[in-house]
Amino acid sequence: MVLAFILAAVGLAPVLAPYDPIALNTNEVLALPGARHLMGTDDLGRDVFSRILYGGLLSLSVGVMAVSIAGVSGTLLGLIAGYYNGWIEQVIMRITDVMLAFPGILLAMLVVATLGPSLTNIMIALAFSRAPAYARLVRGSVLAMKQNLFVEAAVVRGCTHNRILFRHILPNVMVPILVVASLDVGVAIIVGASLSFLGLGAQPPTPEWGRMLSDARRFLRVAPWLSMFPGLAIMLTVLAANLVGDGLRTALDPRLRV
Amino acid sequence: MSKRTLVFASVMMVVVLVLAACGQTAPAAPAATQPAPAAQIQRGGDLIMALVTDVGTLNPHLSSNAATMNIFYQGLEPLVWIDPQTKQAKGWLATSWDVSADGKEWTFQLRQGVKFHDGTPFNAAAAKWNFDHLLDPKLQAGAARNFVASVARVEAPAEYTLKLFLKSTDAGLLDSLHYGHIGMICPEAVKQFGDTEFANHFCGTGPYKLKELVAGNHVTFVRNEEYNWAPDWMGHQGPGYLNSITWRFITDDTTRTAVLETGEVNVAVNLPAPDVTRLMANKNLTIMSPMPSGVSQGLYMNVTKWPTDDLVIRQAMAWAADRETFSKVAYFGIWPPTSTTLSPNTLCYSKESEIYRYDPAKAKALLDGAGYKDTNGDGIREKDGKPIKVLFIKEASFLGAELIQSQFRAVGIDVEIQEVSAAGRQDAASKGLHNIMPGGTISGDPSFMNNYFMTGSPLNVAKVSDKELEKLLLDAKAALDVKERCKLFAAVQKRIMENVYHLPLVVSPSTIGTRKEVQGIRFDVTGWFMVLYDTYMQR
């Protein structure tokens, strides 16, 4: 429900936001939260509430897009690795092993450092660093699924590899993918915000939560609301995303059903 | 605990945090203190100063860290000192000097009776060794070598006479010789311990000497009881007042401010602008920001890349920049606005070079006249279908880029901001990827401008290659007469502003906070570096 609320607020940002998120108003810098500015204004007189709304649009789309790319590419690799044994599996799985050996954020930083700082590159970086997890998960499920009678039946019936993979195996390994993906959105939002916090993501004047937090650091003692609201926004969104993932797992995992 | 309770608990935690943050109250007013008369100065006290960066090596010949000057000036003494008011050179380890008519031969008479911290005497031979060592191509020298770049060779014809022979006339020589990095160090210590180890056996002639150096953490100096050769422009004679001085390295702005407020340190440098107003209201603190000399903080224009290669566009930007608002908003008025390339406190500053003021109408008229029109209604002007868009490459430490962006957009010039690391900035500067890049310099003599506006200089971020400007700069460097120099430098400043190679925005003073008990800090001509010989702690 919280997530639905956040999604609605963020989705309607252009309608709901009372001010232009990048319009400067140098006569109203560092205004306290109040009736005119719900969450106050920042050091350049921009409305924090509007920036949070627009920033949410960015943060959420970065999270969702990154996870979608990671999910789709990781799943494909995992399917291939799990279904066709031999050298192709060896190659794919050793590469994922190497990538999983590094902390995700380090890998993402490497990608951004190579491609240059921007939101698009952050998405690519996040997708790149998350994909191995899906590949490994899917490969495991495929290996287990291959032993099932219905797969053998399909082989006997002369189905093509593609048909077996996508019509018979994929639907059966979808559930864990969905659960991991929903939990991953939260992680992706946090890592995306962290990269922007480090100056590797959104470029000024783009409103982005991590970026806003990092800009607000200088004003911690003078204008604490500047860091409070983006921080709260990130926390609540990630919490909501995790709860949804949690709920999805409870609903879909037969072992948890009593 | 059920899941519902958990969620509730975490939400409550957030609410409590928010309330706690809102509940901050103003601190109680402190008791007022009276400044003590000079006669009451007492020896004693341990001064602790928070610096921003790790000082790195304590060998001044290897160091490239300007902040270390705040340490060098307490333990080392250069040959001369530049008076911050008159900009005239005064003797320090030199007592007098002469220069030949062609300006290439300088003879210094050195102070007598001066001893290094290790007990060896300071004389012309030791001074000659300092110059020779610094000029030795085998040494991986730091910033100090730039200060002696014009020196060809050095001789010591008598016990206390030193002769410098220059490659070419350098009217800025005395300024170059006043920096802490070129303070005299003990030849014996370097010979005995080597250049790297010298940092742990730091040895000079100054009123304080090294007690300990803990890499990455702090440096402590203690009083040199032998010191009795202070030059007459100092406030007293004999040893320094303080028992010890400790420099701690605190990179984080918020932490550095906090330790000053709690009294954990007595002095903190580079206070962040947003906090300065608040700190000024604190009765326990004194905030100082001596006006610096050097090139104002502003924007270098890349004259080799479209669209900043077009003079009209550069001029339009100079008219469109609202420096008052920029200073007020981005730097809380602590860094005052300026529209001259040399900041007003610099030798040979020329007010005539103040050509541009904030006038967006004029900027628009200029662009209209040159055929830049907004034909598609997006607010950005274009010519032959090409929109004016400038790439603004900067480090995170430069504030207010978004203000500049909105001011330029208001007259129809689009700005894309790209934030990069220090290394990324250098790379972009050398490849000329930028259209505009912020920059400014703290320096004494205006001759340092040669580094920024001469063809091929690595610091020439504007990519200027202007024969007439170069001739003016070289002539000014060779002009020993101050009046003649300033006339040439006035022409330099005018030429830079007419061509908008550099778009000045604000003057960039240091902001230093001290606890009320700290008295008698002396600043050098740049306004950024401190001499603590006369500094004492009031009881």
Side-chain angles (χ1 to χ4, degrees):
Chain A
M1 196 199 66
V2 182
L3 188 70
F5 178 73
I6 294 173
L7 278 176
V10 160
L12 292 173
V15 187
L16 283 178
Y19 298 90
D20 181 344
I22 58 167
L24 312 187
N25 180 355
T26 52
N27 296 319
E28 259 188 307
V29 295
L30 299 178
L32 272 161
R36 258 180 78 73
H37 297 281
L38 207 56
M39 296 181 181
T41 61
D42 68 3
D43 54 316
L44 300 173
R46 295 173 297 203
D47 182 54
V48 175
F49 181 57
S50 309
R51 285 178 73 74
I52 294 263
L53 288 181
Y54 275 95
L57 201 58
L58 282 177
S59 286
L60 277 175
S61 44
V62 165
V64 172
M65 284 292 291
V67 169
S68 318
I69 301 172
V72 170
S73 52
T75 304
L76 270 179
L77 288 174
L79 281 175
I80 294 168
Y83 187 75
Y84 304 100
N85 304 71
W87 67 269
I88 192 158
E89 180 194 19
Q90 287 300 319
V91 170
I92 294 177
M93 290 331 287
R94 290 305 78 80
I95 292 175
T96 56
D97 281 348
V98 170
M99 285 171 72
L100 282 171
F102 293 99
I105 190 155
L106 201 69
L107 219 53
M109 280 169 79
L110 183 82
V111 175
V112 177
T114 319
L115 297 178
S118 84
L119 268 184
T120 327
N121 291 344
I122 279 218
M123 246 183 261
I124 297 171
L126 285 175
F128 184 72
S129 65
R130 297 303 303 164
Y134 293 92
R136 170 154 286 242
L137 173 81
V138 171
R139 173 180 163 270
S141 307
V142 172
L143 282 181
M145 207 54 71
K146 268 201 327 192
Q147 312 301 324
N148 280 329
L149 215 52
F150 70 87
V151 177
E152 249 172 72
V155 174
V156 169
R157 215 174 146 239
C159 291
T160 61
H161 288 315
N162 276 348
R163 193 177 161 84
I164 297 173
L165 259 180
F166 292 103
R167 292 299 296 273
H168 297 279
I169 295 180
L170 183 60
N172 283 298
V173 299
M174 266 324 263
V175 169
I177 299 175
L178 279 180
V179 171
V180 170
S182 61
L183 286 168
D184 239 13
V185 170
V187 177
I189 291 175
I190 286 206
V191 176
S194 312
L195 289 173
S196 282
F197 183 87
L198 296 172
L200 295 171
Q203 294 294 305
T206 321
E208 201 276 345
W209 291 347
R211 172 92 219 174
M212 288 169 74
L213 261 183
S214 129
D215 288 345
R217 240 175 349 157
R218 295 195 304 125
F219 302 94
L220 210 55
R221 299 286 297 275
V222 189
W225 60 90
L226 287 187
S227 16
M228 225 148 64
F229 291 117
L232 273 180
I234 293 176
M235 203 207 90
L236 287 177
T237 311
V238 174
L239 182 68
N242 282 348
L243 288 178
V244 168
D246 221 21
L248 218 56
R249 191 174 59 110
T250 321
L252 296 176
D253 191 339
R255 273 166 299 178
L256 280 181
R257 253 179 237 154
V258 186
Chain B
M1 200 167 12
S2 79
K3 210 158 72 181
R4 234 172 263 277
T5 332
L6 246 173
V7 174
F8 178 71
S10 47
V11 170
M12 268 318 284
M13 200 175 68
V14 172
V15 174
V16 170
L17 283 175
V18 171
L19 289 177
C22 295
Q24 281 175 357
T25 49
T33 49
Q34 292 284 319
Q40 282 184 12
I41 295 176
Q42 286 180 334
R43 271 163 60 117
D46 301 287
L47 184 89
I48 304 174
M49 182 186 294
L51 294 179
V52 187
T53 50
D54 187 349
V55 294
T57 176
L58 269 189
N59 184 338
H61 289 186
L62 304 181
S63 170
S64 281
N65 185 342
T68 315
M69 209 130 31
N70 283 320
I71 300 179
F72 290 155
Y73 269 139
Q74 326 318 328
L76 306 176
E77 294 173 296
L79 294 181
V80 295
W81 171 251
I82 305 291
D83 186 288
Q85 269 75 46
T86 63
K87 321 285 184 204
Q88 296 280 311
K90 292 180 171 178
W92 197 332
L93 278 185
T95 49
S96 65
W97 50 89
D98 275 312
V99 55
S100 65
D102 65 352
K104 288 189 180 174
E105 202 181 309
W106 294 69
T107 311
F108 292 87
Q109 301 303 324
L110 304 182
R111 198 172 291 277
Q112 305 190 6
V114 176
K115 273 198 172 72
F116 284 114
H117 296 156
D118 63 358
T120 53
F122 167 76
N123 51 27
K128 173 176 158 47
W129 178 90
N130 266 271
F131 281 94
D132 288 345
H133 183 249
L134 191 48
L135 288 166
D136 184 353
K138 287 202 288 281
L139 182 76
Q140 289 276 322
R145 185 172 279 164
N146 300 331
F147 299 137
V148 294
S150 57
V151 178
R153 69 193 166 85
V154 186
E155 277 177 18
E159 171 92 45
Y160 292 104
T161 307
L162 183 76
K163 268 172 130 54
L164 299 186
F165 298 89
L166 306 191
K167 294 172 194 151
S168 58
T169 315
D170 180 4
L173 178 74
L174 290 175
D175 177 75
S176 300
L177 295 183
H178 102 271
Y179 292 100
H181 284 66
I182 192 164
M184 296 292 131
I185 59 174
C186 315
E188 291 310 316
V190 177
K191 284 176 197 158
Q192 191 183 341
F193 302 107
D195 273 296
T196 318
E197 255 310 287
F198 175 83
N200 291 317
H201 302 274
F202 178 85
C203 168
T205 64
Y208 292 92
K209 55 186 185 183
L210 178 71
K211 183 177 167 224
E212 61 171 357
L213 159 66
V214 180
N217 191 298
H218 71 271
V219 175
T220 303
F221 275 22
V222 291
R223 181 168 43 224
N224 174 11
E225 297 291 355
E226 314 259 301
Y227 188 83
N228 68 348
W229 47 85
D232 53 8
W233 47 266
M234 289 281 198
H236 75 291
Q237 292 292 319
Y241 294 126
L242 302 165
N243 288 341
S244 74
I245 309 172
T246 299
W247 291 270
R248 287 176 52 190
F249 317 134
I250 305 179
T251 318
D252 183 66
D253 282 349
T254 318
T255 313
R256 204 168 53 254
T257 313
V259 291
L260 177 69
E261 286 182 273
T262 58
E264 209 176 305
V265 301
N266 311 95
V267 183
V269 304
N270 294 53
L271 298 175
D275 289 291
V276 168
T277 325
R278 187 172 58 82
L279 296 175
M280 278 173 166
N282 186 333
K283 291 199 182 69
N284 291 323
L285 304 178
T286 309
I287 309 295
M288 294 177 279
S289 54
M291 277 303 126
S293 64
V295 169
S296 309
Q297 191 64 232
L299 308 171
Y300 284 108
M301 303 274 162
N302 183 351
V303 297
T304 58
K305 186 185 172 190
W306 198 86
T308 38
D309 59 348
D310 186 342
L311 178 61
V312 173
I313 290 194
R314 300 203 298 271
Q315 284 172 333
M317 292 199 272
W319 289 108
D322 180 358
R323 299 164 183 83
E324 300 274 336
T325 306
F326 180 77
S327 153
K328 194 183 79 189
V329 175
Y331 291 96
F332 294 78
I334 313 282
W335 285 17
T338 182
S339 33
T340 55
T341 283
L342 281 186
S343 54
N345 195 29
T346 317
L347 178 71
C348 297
Y349 153 78
S350 150
K351 203 172 161 48
E352 276 84 74
S353 67
E354 201 173 300
I355 304 175
Y356 310 95
R357 51 177 196 285
Y358 178 49
D359 190 346
K362 199 143 190 171
K364 286 179 191 162
L366 265 175
L367 292 168
D368 282 337
Y372 293 105
K373 298 237 161 64
D374 179 17
T375 44
N376 56 11
D378 63 351
I380 302 302
R381 291 162 189 270
E382 52 277 325
K383 191 177 185 177
D384 311 325
K386 228 160 108 184
I388 319 179
K389 185 176 187 180
V390 296
L391 181 59
F392 188 166
I393 297 185
K394 63 153 203 134
E395 281 176 61
S397 54
F398 179 83
L399 310 172
E402 289 121 304
L403 272 172
I404 299 291
Q405 185 182 46
S406 84
Q407 288 171 7
F408 288 177
R409 274 187 185 158
V411 298
I413 298 173
D414 198 10
V415 179
E416 184 193 333
I417 301 172
Q418 209 176 81
E419 213 168 87
V420 294
S421 63
R425 188 193 117 102
Q426 259 168 25
D427 183 53
S430 67
K431 288 183 185 150
L433 305 176
H434 60 291
N435 283 117
I436 42 186
M437 191 177 270
T441 320
I442 302 301
S443 189
D445 193 85
S447 306
F448 65 86
M449 277 202 286
N450 293 26
N451 298 325
Y452 295 86
F453 298 104
M454 296 279 270
T455 315
S457 162
L459 294 174
N460 184 348
V461 176
K463 307 276 162 196
V464 178
S465 184
D466 180 337
K467 286 269 152 17
E468 197 179 323
L469 180 65
E470 272 174 39
K471 188 176 174 338
L472 285 171
L473 281 168
L474 290 175
D475 286 353
K477 193 171 184 189
L480 287 173
D481 177 57
V482 168
K483 276 208 181 110
E484 174 65 17
R485 286 189 85 199
C486 287
K487 231 171 83 187
L488 289 161
F489 273 121
V492 165
Q493 292 167 67
K494 199 157 164 241
R495 185 148 184 96
I496 291 172
M497 287 316 297
E498 277 171 354
N499 290 290
V500 206
Y501 297 139
H502 178 252
L503 196 167
L505 293 169
V506 285
V507 179
S508 53
S510 61
T511 41
I512 291 149
T514 68
R515 304 286 301 176
K516 267 286 187 300
E517 67 271 15
V518 179
Q519 302 285 332
I521 292 181
R522 182 188 298 274
F523 290 93
D524 86 326
V525 66
T526 69
W528 274 73
F529 308 113
M530 292 174 254
V531 175
L532 302 174
Y533 171 59
D534 287 331
T535 306
Y536 62 95
M537 309 278 262
Q538 204 170 53
R539 304 288 158 77

